[in-house]
Amino acid sequence: MTICGRAFDAVLSDLDGVIRFYDMGEVERLEDAFGLPRGSTAEIAFAPATDLPLMRGEITREQWIDSIARGLADRVPWERGHRLGTTLAATGFHADEAVVGMLRKVRAAGLPVLLVTNATPWLADDLALLGLTGPAGLFDDVISSADLGVTKPDPRFYRAAVERAGVAAGRCLFVDDRQENVAAAEALGMPAVLFREPADLRAALGPLL
């Protein structure tokens, strides 16, 4: 939705698909070599049955890789499936500097910026690799599904995030690239942005930029 003026006192932003983006080149190269359609590994890895236990902090990285290999076992030998899972788990990523820059301006204007993400148990390591922690930290707080044990779009996730933000739900601007997550935020009275490109966030932040 379009936010007219500043109808919020905190920004709650998703990570993947908004701030962080992956380089899938090596995974795709292996899929080509193993005779799999590109995207096959991600399809298994991010299916709810495989992905949600990881996002809730219930399994380890190695257990997740094993579950990917099991999911691919009817198409490639176990060793190849495990290699694909291992490669996916180690895939490189980068932050969108345009989005990071806008969120830094939000903080410079005195508003808190919170990360609200369905995340792996090693989220802190990933944020450090992105350069978003420490003295150059981007977030006032991090709400991770792996810590909470619940994932978006569960209302409990949003209520925990609002409590941590310290402002009313109706004053929290929620930013996410998944429609179901945006709809859940709006159902709780939060102004929300369905992110497709940096221009979506820029329009919502309006005068702050």
Side-chain angles (χ1 to χ4, degrees), residues 120-198:
T120 65
W122 56 89
L123 174 62
D125 294 336
D126 288 356
L127 293 178
L129 288 172
L130 287 166
L132 300 180
T133 57
L138 181 62
F139 308 110
D140 293 278
D141 203 349
V142 174
I143 295 85
S144 164
S145 62
D147 294 332
L148 290 179
V150 294
T151 60
K152 295 177 291 184
D154 190 311
R156 292 174 293 175
F157 184 103
Y158 297 84
R159 294 189 184 107
V162 168
E163 181 178 356
R164 299 263 284 272
V167 300
R171 302 294 298 177
C172 291
L173 177 65
F174 179 83
V175 184
D176 202 287
D177 67 319
R178 298 183 67 90
Q179 179 61 55
E180 63 268 29
N181 295 342
V182 167
E186 291 177 330
L188 292 174
M190 303 168 71
V193 176
L194 179 61
F195 184 96
R196 290 290 178 261
E197 58 183 0

Side-chain angles (χ1 to χ4, degrees), residues 24-46 61 64-73 75-91:
M24 299 295 288
E26 181 60 18
V27 174
E28 291 175 350
R29 186 190 69 77
L30 285 177
E31 288 172 338
D32 290 344
F34 297 160
L36 290 174
R38 291 188 176 188
S40 299
T41 308
E43 181 182 3
I44 295 296
F46 302 124
R61 186 195 304 249
W64 181 54
I65 292 170
D66 285 348
S67 67
I68 295 170
R70 286 195 298 272
L72 292 169
R75 287 177 272 181
V76 294
W78 169 270
E79 293 78 10
R80 291 188 171 186
H82 195 274
R83 183 177 174 188
L84 284 163
T86 301
T87 302
L88 179 64
T91 294

Side-chain angles (χ1 to χ4, degrees), residues 13-21 94-97 99-100 103 113-115 127 130 132 138-139 195 201:
S13 176
D14 185 29
L15 180 62
D16 292 323
V18 177
I19 298 171
R20 175 169 67 173
F21 295 87
H94 67 277
D96 186 304
E97 292 303 325
V99 173
V100 170
L103 294 178
V113 174
L114 285 75
L115 185 67
L127 293 178
L130 287 166
L132 300 180
L138 181 62
F139 308 110
F195 184 96
L201 180 59

